[in-house]
Structure formats: C-alpha cells, structure tokens
Amino acid sequence: EIRALTVAIDGPAAAGKGTVAKAVAAHFGFAHLDTGLLYRAVAAKTLTGMDPETAARGLAPADLEDPTLRNPDVAQEASKVAVIPAVRAALVRFQRSFATRAGGAVLDGRDIGTVICPDAPVKLFVTASPEVRAQRRFAELTGKGIEVTYESVLEDVHQRDLRDMSRDQAPLKPADDAKQIDTTEMAIEDAIAAAVALVEAKQAERS
Ligand code: CDP
Ligand code: CDP
C-alpha cells in the first residue's frame, strides 16, 4: 500500500497538534493516536498514589477514556511523570506498533519524530506563541465547563514547555527533517491543508 504511511506530529502544549493530527487521519483514513493521553493516563494514576512505572506498565485501553485526563492538574502531573525514563520506556512498544500498522497512522506528541518514529516519512512540528496557545486552551477548557483562569493556563503552558524541553530523555525539539508550522496567526484550516499537502507530496514521491 503506497498511500498508507506514518505521520509524526510534535510541538508544545496547545499548539494545535491534536486538531491537525485528527483531521489528517480522517482525510486519509489513517488511525490517530494522541500520545499525550498515555502520559496523562499514567498521571491520573500517580495522582491517586500509584508508583509511576507500575502505572505505565499496567496501562490499559480503558484508562484512556477517563474524562478527567483533560484537567490542568493532570497535564502538569503528566509532564512530571514524562521525565522518568522507565515511564517513557514502558510506553514505547505500544506507540511503535501503532505507528507501523498497515493502514497508516498519525501520532502526535513531543518525541514522535525524534524518538518513537525517527523514520516517519512525514514529520511536522507545530508551534504558536505561548500567549496564543494559552488563549486557545483557556477557551477550550472553559467551553468544557472546566473552571480555570487565563493566567493559570499560561503558567501551566510555560511550566510544561520548560520541563518538556529541558529533560534529558526525549526532550521536546523538532526533528532535523521536520516541517515547522507556526499557527500563531494561521487558521486551523490552513494548518490542516499544509499538513495534507505534505502527505500528498510524499505519497506522489513514493508511487
Ligand atoms: O494537541 P495540542 O495540545 O497541540 O492542541 P489542540 O488540542 O489541537 O488545540 C488546542 C485548541 O486550540 C483547540 O481548541 C483548537 O481548536 C484550537 N486551535 C485554534 O483555534 N487554532 C489553531 N490554529 C490551532 C488550534
Ligand atoms: O495537549 P497538550 O499538548 O497540552 O498536552 P499532551 O500532548 O496531552 O501532553 C501532556 C504531557 O505529556 C506533555 O506536557 C509532556 O510532558 C508529555 N508527553 C511526552 O512527554 N511525550 C509525548 N509523546 C506526549 C506527551
């Protein structure tokens, strides 16, 4: 199958990775994995007192359905457990097997193009200014009835960006061959169109 391929999408918090990933997957009929959910699901368990490595090793599909995973306190805890090498190691195999499924896959996260799928034919690094990202996440959370202030969301974004970029293992950074998309002043539709065009170009190159 020439059309099926792996698309790796990375970037900082609330840059639009998930939205672009979901749309690209739907467009091409590929499967989509939000890898941040894995770290959030581990975090939800450690917040109840479980050991992080035990939580990561025992992760089950049902754990990803927990409606509290979107909460800001879980996001903060996720970036803390994501620093632990044994936690990251426990999640690698699932992500790689998802990425190499026959029908094509789109994965979004922090280390997809650099660590999980370094051979992915299409890599995107989606960014936007911290203020714009915080504004979008604030609107999203408020829309879901989660009570937050803009200032607290901006602080969460700053802290997680810093922790994600400065950790030793799998730090957040663009892969050398990633195409950067800055969505600060770009409508989400344009970001999706750019991503779709990139996949189509790679498909044409391969056929
Ligand atoms: O997955 P990630 O955390 O990078 O971000 P997201 O959940 O896809 O996007 C965060 C929020 O920003 C969502 O509500 C998107 O609809 C919104 N967004 C936007 O309004 N304009 C963009 N260019 C990108 C994202
Ligand atoms: O949606 P948002 O971008 O705000 O966060 P997320 O993608 O759900 O990720 C939550 C946290 O998990 C991040 O701040 C990272 O610390 C961690 N993460 C990671 O280390 N590696 C990944 N591939 C995905 C997420």
Side-chain angles (χ1 to χ4, degrees):
E1 175 63 83
I2 293 156
R3 291 188 60 83
L5 45 75
T6 306
V7 181
I9 305 183
D10 292 303
K17 307 177 298 295
T19 306
V20 171
K22 204 178 292 174
V24 168
H27 183 94
F28 293 101
F30 298 165
H32 169 227
L33 179 64
D34 170 0
T35 66
L37 271 188
L38 304 174
Y39 293 89
R40 287 173 183 256
V42 172
K45 288 175 179 289
T46 63
L47 285 172
T48 70
M50 197 185 283
D51 159 70
E53 185 177 349
T54 307
R57 286 173 178 273
L59 216 58
D63 296 329
L64 306 182
E65 310 291 336
D66 180 345
T68 70
L69 298 185
R70 286 289 151 216
N71 292 354
D73 60 323
V74 177
Q76 267 298 320
E77 178 72 4
S79 78
K80 292 178 185 168
V81 301
V83 169
I84 304 168
V87 166
R88 305 201 70 84
L91 302 175
V92 168
R93 199 195 323 186
F94 173 73
Q95 294 176 83
R96 288 207 176 123
S97 66
F98 191 99
T100 53
R101 58 175 57 205
V106 184
L107 287 80
D108 72 279
R110 300 292 185 288
D111 64 338
I112 309 305
T114 51
V115 173
I116 300 297
C117 306
D119 298 328
V122 179
K123 295 183 187 177
L124 294 173
F125 195 82
V126 182
T127 60
S129 75
E131 291 76 18
V132 162
R133 289 187 281 120
Q135 188 55 53
R136 289 172 181 162
R137 181 52 50 83
F138 170 69
E140 188 184 6
L141 292 170
T142 307
K144 284 181 179 156
I146 298 171
E147 279 189 41
V148 285
T149 62
Y150 167 76
E151 287 71 25
S152 72
V153 175
L154 181 62
E155 182 63 13
D156 168 69
V157 161
H158 272 312
Q159 288 179 350
R160 285 199 288 134
D161 286 356
L162 196 65
R163 205 179 283 123
D164 292 351
M165 291 187 296
S166 60
R167 68 185 174 221
D168 286 340
Q169 212 179 64
L172 169 64
K173 64 172 179 196
D176 292 336
D177 53 347
K179 160 93 174 156
Q180 301 221 25
I181 299 182
D182 185 332
T183 71
T184 305
E185 294 181 57
M186 192 189 266
I188 194 68
E189 293 76 21
D190 296 332
I192 293 165
V196 166
L198 214 62
V199 174
E200 285 173 343
K202 188 55 75 172
Q203 288 174 327
E205 193 181 295
R206 293 182 147 202
S207 63

